[in-house]
Amino acid sequence: MRFLELANRNLKETYRDPLALGFLLGFPLVFMLLFVAIFSGDTISSYPIGVIDDDNTPLSQAFIDEALAEVPALEVSNYDNTVTAMEDLKFGDLTAYVVIPQGFGEQISRNWQGEEADITLQMTYDESDLMLSEQLISIMNVVTRSFARIEIPITINANPIHIETEITYADFMGPGIIVFGILILIPTSARIMVRDKEKGFLARLLTTPTKPVEFILGYSLCLVAVAIAQIIIFMVGAWSLGMAIVGSLWLAFLIFFLTSLCSIGIGMVVASLSKSENQAEPLCWLFAMPLAMLSGCWFSIEMLPSYLRAIANAFPYAHTIGASRAVLIRGVGLEAISSDLLFLVGWAVVIFAIGVILFRRSMRS
Amino acid sequence: MTSDRTESTKASDNLAIQTFNLTKIFNGLVAVDSIELNIKKGELFALLGPNGAGKTTTIKMLCCLLKPTGGTATVMGYDINQQPFKIKEIIGVSPQETTISEHLNAQEHLNLIGRIHNINAKELRNRSQELLETMGLAERAKDQVRKFSGGMMRRLNIMMALIHNPEVLFLDEPTLGLDPQARRAIWEYIVQLKGEKTILLTTHYMDEADFLSDRIGIMDKGKIVALGTSSELKTSMLGKHTMIIYAWNLTQKVINEMRGKYDEVRVSDGTMMISDKQLDFKEVVDHLHSSGAVIRSAYIKEPTLDDVFLRITGKELRE
């Protein structure tokens, strides 16, 4: 099997080069450690929030006493009405207050019985600290969702502005960081291939009866090994960063793996189009950086204008972040993310086909 | 294997490489200009020419790395445009650039190319052992090649072209940039291969072409401007003898007398160069002596390929 020989050679060339190996494995590691350092420890302090229970049912009581009180980041105190709560908010004694509206208990119990009922919470907070409010909303969201045991997004009627976010900060960042790492596979893949091109080793191999598909397979197998090692590092890193892992690890791994294939594919296409590392490198970053922003690695893409979201959704990475968050944090199963998985598979197939076609074309200029 | 080779006439049966108006144009620049070349099986043919003459482009087209703009060629009966993968199975190529994989050792390089060509394990072991020994790399077989000297890398480059026992061998500037000792070592090995394999070699070292090849094609500006054995080129193309005299006291008078007598006379710094179809050593020396010149040395210069090149193209081989 020629492609196995090529893959073998490519792997040796990669793991015997301390600098390359250091970059491939060390970079994700350093990257993860940095994020752990930034987001762990005292940075997330606890927020004093007030709760007004307008529902006043056993379920709403349980929600306050068992669910909200269990969150380390929250310091919950009960209020009778919004007037006093608002006063404390204005004085800065509270960062926010939440109103549990009437019918909350009923909505929860309907969800427990398998119906998909909308759940509504009212939250008022100081809008001057956007970061804080976003974190609070996401915490509320996760707590409520886990209490209601549902996968559908719940509605939080936030006041004064409505922001739909989904998760706590660490949970939110985890998949994003992993996807950012996978995006970096684009320049990595391109580099490995284009270096052979630049140094003429590829031209030498092109005088052998090796077929374009075998070349692509040879490079991808090597890169897949690199990708698997990186995903493991990222997942372990994200877990130690405090990312909740509720759902199937294997399913999450599958999502990340398929995304890696897309990155490898993009890298190969770029490599086929460029003559040297100097050409390939900036071209890769031109893909990777905007995609990292558009796909929601660092912030939620809900706030993006619709045309930017459309661009983001045309690439795999936004789907990956959505699907992996659903699996890791909400614990959804294969069915719920099957359309995202299909999209990723389709994308990988198409980009590899393009890679082979471009490679064949560049084989004989 | 022979069944699907293109139909060929009896006369071309003993030809390994044939080109038919082979042409390559890069953005309007004619790199190879409709060359017609016949290389016999077992022949060592050298393409000699300065940098940019089109030698490497010719080889790249024959190796199926470049698509010709016009014309075609066959290698062992296979057409370069129609059956590139058939050709790739039976050729060995040593590119001009030393193309190696830095972090692999010499043995692994040979294994890689051997296995890509589906050589069985036993044959691969034997052949690589044999090659490593004859090329003097046996002791370094397990060292990563990035630690190799330039000469060792070139040798490995050639070994990689030979490991699968190809029928046709393309050596593009096999000794480029090597010191004389390393060049000798490679020459000796190439000489051993003569007759066994068809070899197409490019070089811009005239001594290399002179020493190694059965026939030489002199290439300039994409064209083959002269073709023949080394001695054919030197004698029939030139047909002139050259004499070099170092002397003191060469007066303008005697220089003018010499210019009247012989076809070409050039003088610089006490050195006189005389060229003509007929040249009598004694006659020249006597004439100069009688005119009062003090001759320190004088000799008849054998024509070199450089002279041939100069004569044909009007410029030196090495710029």
Side-chain angles (χ1 to χ4, degrees):
Chain A
M1 289 303 221
R2 273 188 200 119
F3 71 91
L4 287 179
E5 290 303 325
L6 291 173
N8 182 23
R9 176 262 162 183
N10 294 334
L11 263 181
K12 280 179 184 160
E13 192 61 40
T14 306
Y15 75 71
R16 284 183 187 169
D17 184 353
L19 206 71
L21 194 68
F23 186 77
L24 293 182
L25 301 183
F27 179 70
L29 206 62
V30 168
F31 192 62
M32 279 324 300
L33 288 176
L34 199 65
F35 269 88
V36 172
I38 291 171
F39 291 107
S40 67
D42 302 332
T43 28
I44 299 173
S45 51
S46 59
Y47 306 118
I49 66 160
V51 180
I52 298 126
D53 189 359
D54 282 352
D55 189 39
N56 221 345
T57 57
L59 272 175
S60 65
Q61 280 299 323
F63 176 66
I64 298 164
D65 297 341
E66 287 163 29
L68 287 182
E70 289 298 303
V71 181
L74 299 181
E75 252 175 58
V76 184
S77 34
N78 286 297
Y79 284 81
D80 292 335
N81 55 61
T82 54
V83 181
T84 44
M86 180 59 95
E87 254 174 37
D88 283 358
L89 184 66
K90 279 178 180 164
F91 282 116
D93 294 336
L94 284 180
T95 42
Y97 65 84
V98 176
V99 179
I100 300 175
Q102 270 189 339
F104 176 82
E106 195 195 326
Q107 287 167 338
I108 295 281
S109 62
R110 269 167 62 195
N111 269 292
W112 284 356
Q113 279 154 23
E115 268 181 69
E116 291 197 348
D118 286 340
I119 292 170
T120 312
L121 286 174
Q122 192 100 30
M123 193 160 105
T124 307
Y125 54 87
D126 179 9
E127 70 173 334
S128 60
D129 191 344
L130 271 177
M131 195 73 148
L132 183 83
S133 55
E134 192 161 327
Q135 282 183 35
L136 273 178
I137 291 176
S138 52
I139 291 171
M140 286 307 295
N141 216 320
V142 165
V143 172
T144 316
R145 196 179 285 121
S146 75
F147 185 71
R149 298 182 215 142
I150 51 167
E151 289 162 8
I152 52 156
I154 56 168
T155 315
I156 294 179
N157 286 333
N159 199 19
I161 43 166
H162 177 95
I163 301 171
E164 174 82 20
T165 67
E166 295 176 348
I167 38 183
T168 68
Y169 208 64
D171 292 344
F172 176 78
M173 288 307 288
I177 294 167
I178 295 176
V179 167
F180 183 64
I182 293 172
L183 274 161
I184 292 174
L185 260 177
I186 296 177
T188 305
S189 312
R191 192 181 311 119
I192 285 179
M193 193 163 141
V194 91
R195 191 188 291 150
D196 277 351
K197 205 174 190 175
E198 201 171 354
K199 291 196 171 170
F201 195 76
L202 191 59
R204 142 147 266 154
L205 290 178
L206 284 173
T207 66
T208 68
T210 312
K211 302 278 196 308
V213 176
E214 294 169 321
F215 278 110
I216 294 284
L217 277 177
Y219 283 113
S220 337
L221 273 185
C222 161
L223 288 161
V224 160
V226 170
I228 289 174
Q230 288 194 345
I231 293 171
I232 291 171
I233 292 176
F234 281 129
M235 285 180 75
V236 170
W239 171 75
S240 62
L241 180 141
M243 183 181 72
I245 297 177
V246 179
S248 156
L249 266 181
W250 287 112
L251 199 52
F253 185 85
L254 180 67
I255 298 167
F256 293 135
F257 180 75
L258 289 172
T259 316
S260 303
L261 290 184
C262 298
S263 280
I264 293 170
I266 296 177
M268 301 246 195
V269 167
V270 171
S272 295
L273 293 173
S274 29
K275 288 189 177 68
S276 67
E277 243 177 297
N278 285 342
Q279 278 183 1
E281 197 82 28
L283 206 56
C284 285
W285 288 109
L286 204 65
F287 269 101
M289 276 311 181
L291 278 177
M293 297 216 184
L294 289 183
S295 308
C297 284
W298 297 315
F299 46 79
S300 170
I301 62 169
E302 303 291 330
M303 60 185 80
L304 291 181
S306 60
Y307 73 96
L308 281 182
R309 243 182 305 168
I311 295 174
N313 282 325
F315 285 89
Y317 306 97
H319 296 261
T320 311
I321 290 180
S324 61
R325 275 182 190 151
V327 169
L328 286 171
I329 296 153
R330 276 182 263 148
V332 306
L334 183 65
E335 243 167 68
I337 56 157
S338 58
S339 65
D340 285 325
L341 279 184
L342 275 178
F343 182 85
L344 291 176
V345 170
W347 225 91
V349 168
V350 169
I351 197 78
F352 267 80
I354 294 173
V356 171
I357 290 166
L358 287 179
F359 191 88
R360 177 173 290 141
R361 223 181 53 180
S362 73
M363 248 174 104
R364 223 175 159 203
S365 39
Chain B
M1 203 186 208
T2 44
S3 59
D4 48 359
R5 296 193 184 191
T6 35
E7 287 295 318
S8 50
T9 59
K10 279 257 153 55
S12 62
D13 271 357
N14 65 342
L15 290 177
I17 297 170
Q18 256 186 306
T19 70
F20 307 92
N21 277 317
L22 192 64
T23 304
K24 182 72 191 178
I25 301 169
F26 294 111
N27 302 326
L29 191 87
V30 185
V32 173
D33 194 354
S34 45
I35 60 170
E36 297 270 346
L37 203 59
N38 291 324
I39 299 173
K40 291 193 276 289
K41 284 179 183 163
E43 187 176 24
L44 199 161
F45 189 93
L47 278 177
L48 175 72
N51 296 331
K55 307 183 302 276
T56 299
T57 307
T58 306
I59 278 208
K60 280 188 172 164
M61 284 192 282
L62 293 174
C63 300
C64 313
L65 280 178
L66 275 178
K67 238 185 168 59
T69 314
T72 187
T74 60
V75 177
M76 298 305 275
Y78 295 122
D79 188 282
I80 57 166
N81 286 317
Q82 309 297 326
Q83 300 151 295
F85 285 98
K86 286 282 172 200
I87 293 176
K88 288 174 182 194
E89 276 171 22
I90 52 160
I91 60 170
V93 184
S94 170
Q96 185 169 340
E97 310 83 27
T98 313
T99 54
I100 48 155
S101 192
E102 283 185 356
H103 294 88
L104 260 55
N105 65 37
Q107 182 73 60
E108 285 167 339
H109 274 91
L110 298 179
N111 291 350
L112 174 68
I113 303 287
R115 286 178 191 149
I116 282 177
H117 280 94
N118 295 321
I119 307 289
N120 71 55
K122 197 179 159 208
E123 196 190 336
L124 180 58
R125 207 167 35 242
N126 292 341
R127 277 196 67 81
S128 60
Q129 192 54 38
E130 186 193 321
L131 276 170
L132 284 163
E133 272 162 24
T134 41
M135 295 291 251
L137 282 178
E139 281 170 20
R140 305 291 303 271
K142 298 275 189 257
D143 286 355
Q144 287 187 20
V145 299
R146 67 203 160 95
K147 297 171 191 156
F148 278 18
S149 70
M152 290 162 78
M153 287 180 183
R154 299 292 307 163
R155 272 181 279 164
L156 179 61
N157 222 24
I158 295 172
M159 285 156 74
M160 286 162 75
L162 284 164
I163 184 67
H164 52 291
N165 204 7
E167 295 176 44
V168 182
L169 192 58
F170 294 97
L171 303 174
D172 196 358
E173 302 274 4
T175 65
L176 187 71
L178 291 189
D179 59 65
Q181 202 187 346
R183 288 178 71 196
R184 274 281 159 193
I186 287 175
W187 285 5
E188 273 162 30
Y189 189 75
I190 295 174
V191 167
Q192 286 177 37
L193 295 171
K194 274 180 80 164
E196 218 180 288
K197 301 196 182 308
T198 309
I199 302 173
L200 176 57
L201 170 145
T202 75
T203 183
H204 67 277
Y205 299 121
M206 53 162 194
D207 53 344
E208 187 162 288
D210 211 352
F211 183 82
L212 291 173
S213 34
D214 297 318
R215 277 195 308 152
I216 296 166
I218 294 184
M219 230 177 149
D220 185 47
K221 292 178 186 157
K223 285 198 167 85
I224 299 211
V225 290
L227 189 75
T229 65
S230 173
S231 52
E232 275 170 8
L233 286 173
K234 286 177 199 163
T235 52
S236 74
M237 293 303 293
L238 283 173
K240 278 195 176 183
H241 302 278
T242 303
M243 194 170 160
I244 312 270
I245 305 117
Y246 297 98
W248 287 325
N249 208 11
L250 284 172
T251 58
Q252 197 55 47
K253 180 170 168 284
V254 74
I255 292 168
N256 287 340
E257 280 171 16
M258 292 308 230
R259 287 212 167 117
K261 250 179 126 175
Y262 301 104
D263 273 5
E264 200 183 335
V265 176
R266 280 190 278 172
V267 182
S268 65
D269 290 341
T271 306
M272 179 178 262
M273 199 193 85
I274 304 169
S275 296
D276 207 330
K277 287 194 184 71
Q278 299 291 325
L279 210 55
D280 189 321
F281 185 85
K282 191 170 177 297
E283 196 184 295
V284 173
V285 172
D286 285 350
H287 189 132
L288 289 171
H289 200 70
S290 62
S291 341
V294 182
I295 295 168
R296 295 164 64 214
S297 75
Y299 63 95
I300 300 272
K301 187 171 168 277
E302 288 298 323
T304 65
L305 287 173
D306 224 356
D307 299 326
V308 179
F309 190 81
L310 181 68
R311 180 76 47 166
I312 295 167
T313 67
K315 61 190 179 198
E316 298 272 348
L317 194 48
R318 266 173 279 185
E319 299 96 310

